[in-house]
Amino acid sequence: MTRTLYGYAFLDDFVLLYPVYALLFGDNGLSLGQISSLFALWSVTGVLLEVPSGAWADAVSRRLLLWLGPLLTAAGFALWVLVPSYGAFALGFVLWGAGGALGSGALEALVYEELDRHGAAGSYARVTGRARAVGLVAVMAAMGLAGPVVALGGYPLVGAASVLTCLLTAAVATRFPEHRDAAAGSDGWFAALRAAGRPERPVTAALLLVAAVGSVWGALDEYTPLLVRDTGVPDWAGPYLLLLIWAGATAGSLLAGPAERLGTYGFAGLLAGSALALAAGALARSPAGLALVALAFGGFQLANVLADATLQRRIDDGARATVTSIAGLGTELATVAVFGAYAAVGSATGHSTAFAVFAVPYLVTAAAMAVARRGRARS
């Protein structure tokens, strides 16, 4: 199962269109407003389908959704290069958003339950951390290959390669083992939603933690190219510094196994230390400061994996994919809020100061966790 997971994670992110699709849109005459509307449509699709798809995964088969999702994404990418137009781009984003929503929640639920079936649920953080690291390596590889492929065959070749990767992802997904009792999902979508909608307090706390950890740095990641440019480096050096930041996130994923021994105070310290590194690195306004930003992103990625592992331990199997999708929905909504806040703060202060400002929510989360832990210890 783990070999299948790592192959799936690599292919799912090894999409050569990722680094160039904005250029594809611009080269086909789309305005900045039209491109922004496509991104908004993508996000809205994910938000609307996140929880229903998780409930569907609980009601039927997680593996089914994991191979169906990449097929929808492949169809969307094919539309982009075969009939490049605003309407085709919009439909492609809807298909891509739907494909991503189908896998969100289903993958985590399948992996946790298969590990638990073999008495290895304790290795969930280590396994998923490695899978996320593999995915980040795939993103970096796609960034490096996209330019030469565009030069060789233009957008049609990049699109064909991306469609092929999606088809391979779907093929690998069929290799996932799944040993679920058919009766586990027989109550249907609404029963799973009711079960997820009345979680015990520890589950609620874990849901909030996943959203709090993943939303802020997930939004800041979109602005790292602008932060790098503000350090004054030439444009040709920017991609190398971005790779440094991605390498930091990859290293954080690989540390998930050993870091599971962190208690509440250790987790709070991880968040606080990463937040301080983010603020200091951004305010340095220098290439050297970006090493601290990379360190911070590694810490946040590690915290992401650990928060997800905590959530998985607290969910009942019958609604696992649904509750995980609720966590994804919360993260997505919070990320959209961060985008709006960043636009206001960044416009007024610049990117370096904005990055430092958005370190504060992590300090607040770390302090809240420490205070709550101390209160439980006293009681």
Side-chain angles (χ1 to χ4, degrees), residues 297-335:
F297 273 38
F300 295 143
Q301 174 74 316
L302 172 58
N304 247 15
V305 176
L306 296 179
D308 175 52
T310 299
L311 175 64
Q312 296 302 324
R313 288 195 296 268
R314 297 179 181 180
I315 305 174
D316 292 332
D317 287 348
R320 184 175 301 280
T322 304
V323 177
T324 305
S325 291
I326 291 174
L329 174 62
T331 301
E332 187 71 26
L333 291 174
T335 300

Side-chain angles (χ1 to χ4, degrees), residues 34-313:
Q34 288 176 312
I35 294 174
S36 298
S37 71
L38 291 175
F39 292 157
L41 179 63
W42 188 21
S43 296
V44 169
T45 301
V47 167
L48 293 177
L49 297 180
E50 182 78 38
V51 175
S53 67
W56 188 20
D58 282 327
V60 289
S61 163
R62 281 81 185 263
R63 182 172 56 199
L64 169 66
L65 272 62
L66 290 175
W67 65 256
L68 180 59
L71 295 182
L72 295 179
T73 304
F77 290 162
L79 280 174
W80 285 2
V81 294
L82 291 176
V83 283
S85 61
Y86 181 82
F89 295 147
L91 181 56
F93 266 122
V94 170
L95 290 170
W96 189 3
L102 289 180
S104 177
L107 181 62
E108 294 88 346
L110 185 148
V111 171
Y112 187 89
E113 290 177 7
E114 288 301 314
L115 288 172
D116 188 44
R117 191 175 72 88
H118 290 283
S123 64
Y124 175 82
R126 174 176 56 81
V127 169
T128 56
R130 289 179 178 177
R132 295 191 189 195
V134 168
L136 291 171
V137 170
V139 170
M140 292 187 284
M143 291 171 63
L145 287 175
V149 174
V150 169
L152 180 64
Y155 295 124
L157 183 57
V158 172
S162 300
V163 169
L164 176 60
T165 301
C166 291
L167 296 178
L168 291 174
T169 305
V172 170
T174 64
R175 304 294 299 170
F176 275 115
E178 186 173 26
H179 299 84
R180 297 181 66 218
D181 182 357
S186 61
D187 290 338
W189 287 25
F190 294 107
L193 284 171
R194 287 196 301 270
R198 298 192 300 268
E200 297 297 326
R201 184 174 179 181
V203 177
T204 304
L207 285 169
L208 293 174
L209 183 61
V210 168
V213 171
S215 59
V216 178
W217 84 276
L220 292 181
D221 175 59
E222 301 297 331
Y223 300 98
T224 50
L226 300 174
L227 178 69
V228 169
R229 175 176 287 178
D230 276 2
T231 64
V233 300
D235 286 345
W236 63 264
Y240 297 104
L241 293 173
L242 289 175
L243 286 176
L244 171 66
I245 295 174
W246 280 94
T250 303
S253 295
L254 294 174
L255 292 173
E260 266 207 297
R261 292 189 289 269
L262 291 175
T264 301
Y265 289 128
F267 190 95
L270 172 66
L271 284 183
S274 300
L276 294 174
L278 177 67
L283 292 175
R285 296 181 174 88
S286 68
L290 294 176
L292 287 175
V293 176
L295 178 65
F297 273 38
F300 295 143
Q301 174 74 316
L302 172 58
N304 247 15
V305 176
L306 296 179
D308 175 52
T310 299
L311 175 64
Q312 296 302 324
R313 288 195 296 268

